[in-house]
């Protein structure tokens, strides 16, 4: 840890940024920053980072899309697809070094908006990875789906999107406050990727498709039965809707 | 480099803490509990992650903000 001559440590500066520096130390920190413009600039940059993160990923406006499907009885993943790809990989909260996604204040509208934000964030963070976009690849489908289903407490399958030109690369398990969430990563021959984010949803909260777009990433998302889905990609809205519809049909054959 | 892309470049342990504290507004103790690491580890990862993010996004606060669309 770096300690300044005035005994204001690096930890103190970050605690100052986060508003959790002990009150008794705040005057010393402020004096130090006033005397060190470079350090003050760094603190300002860290504060801007926080603001920028919120600007990027805080709930964005929903744009309801006319439902492309009627409301049908929800079915489990287990009743759906029988072919093709599935793979999931997990980053578990806790010892495995996973990262945390939540943002849920309940299972009403804001929660659904939070779903889209987290799905977009997961897309943005993981799809640029060239060597390690997933933790476990599609080759280990059976094991991975079993593992993920157990973690989510619901039978899962990875949607089969090869008919639309997208092959499963693999996946990860993320987490939100209510438990694990799965991220499936797909890729077409041009190397364009899209992601399918799945997490558990409270019963009885089914929704029609909704759409958000921000920072070049479009997301269609909905709740169906015990699970919530969010499809994210940097592709045109009609194409993304086509993917979302394909997945929905697989869930509700 | 934009913030989102810079975030993707962070080592995962640092990214986790930066997001937990910076986006999810969790306390250091909450982040430590979730990640199952000591609070001191959260602090050090936060410091490294933020600094790396700052450098990747251009090194000053103005640039970070103006990158946001």
């Amino acid at each position: 840890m770096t300690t300044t001559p005035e005994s204001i440590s690096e930890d103190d500066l970050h605690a100052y940024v986060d508003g959790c520096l002990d009150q008794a130390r705040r005057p010393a920190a402020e004096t130090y920053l006033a005397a060190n413009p470079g350090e003050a600039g760094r603190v300002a940059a860290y504060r801007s980072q926080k603001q920028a993160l919120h600007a990027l990923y805080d709930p964005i406006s929903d744009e309801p899309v006319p439902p492309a499907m009627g409301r049908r009885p929800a079915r489990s993943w287990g009743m759906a697809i029988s072919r093709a790809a599935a793979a999931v990989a997990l980053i578990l909260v806790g010892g495995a070094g996973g990262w945390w996604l939540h943002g849920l204040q309940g299972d009403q509208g804001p929660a659904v908006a939070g779903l889209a934000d987290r799905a977009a964030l997961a897309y943005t963070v993981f799809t640029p990875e060239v060597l390690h976009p997933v933790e476990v690849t599609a080759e280990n489908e059976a094991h991975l789906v079993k593992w993920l289903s157990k973690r989510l407490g619901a039978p899962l399958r990875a949607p089969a999107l090869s008919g639309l030109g997208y092959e499963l690369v693999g996946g990860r398990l993320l987490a939100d406050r209510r438990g694990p969430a799965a991220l499936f990563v797909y890729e077409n021959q041009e190397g364009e990727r899209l992601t399918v984010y799945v997490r558990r949803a409270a019963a009885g909260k089914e929704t029609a498709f909704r759409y958000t777009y921000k920072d070049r990433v479009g997301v269609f998302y909905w709740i169906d039965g015990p699970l919530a889905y969010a499809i994210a990609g940097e592709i045109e809205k009609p194409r993304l809707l086509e993917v979302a519809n394909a997945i929905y049909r697989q869930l509700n054959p | 480099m934009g913030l989102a892309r810079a975030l993707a470049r962070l080592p995962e342990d640092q990214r986790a803490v930066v997001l937990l504290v910076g986006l999810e507004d969790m306390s250091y103790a909450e982040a430590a509990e979730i990640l199952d690491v000591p609070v001191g580890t959260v602090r050090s990862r936060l410091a490294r992650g933020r600094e790396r993010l700052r450098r990747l996004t251009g090194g000053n606060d103005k640039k970070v903000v103006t990158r946001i669309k």
Side-chain angles (χ1 to χ4, degrees), chain B residues 5-63:
Chain B
R5 299 297 174 194
L7 198 59
R9 297 271 298 272
L10 291 187
E12 193 162 297
D13 58 351
Q14 295 175 21
R15 181 170 60 218
V17 175
V18 167
L19 287 172
L20 288 172
V21 174
L23 179 62
E24 311 294 3
D25 295 324
M26 288 187 180
S27 69
Y28 299 163
E30 288 173 325
E33 184 177 346
I34 286 167
L35 297 172
D36 196 25
V37 298
V39 170
T41 301
V42 165
R43 290 180 185 274
S44 61
R45 289 178 183 176
L46 180 66
R48 291 199 305 273
R50 278 180 171 163
E51 182 57 18
R52 186 161 179 167
L53 206 54
R54 185 176 76 92
R55 293 176 185 274
L56 286 170
T57 53
N60 65 58
D61 54 336
K62 265 189 182 171
K63 204 152 191 175

Side-chain angles (χ1 to χ4, degrees), chain A residues 31-84:
Chain A
T31 299
Y32 170 75
L33 291 172
N36 294 276
E39 293 291 86
R42 199 158 60 89
V43 164
Y46 296 155
R47 282 185 164 153
S48 292
Q49 280 179 14
K50 295 185 70 169
Q51 293 169 1
L53 284 172
H54 282 288
L56 269 178
Y57 299 117
D58 276 352
I60 50 184
S61 61
D62 292 349
E63 181 187 343
V65 165
M69 69 288 181
R71 291 255 47 90
R72 290 179 278 181
R75 302 192 186 197
S76 73
W77 281 97
M79 297 175 67
I81 353 169
S82 60
R83 64 187 174 99

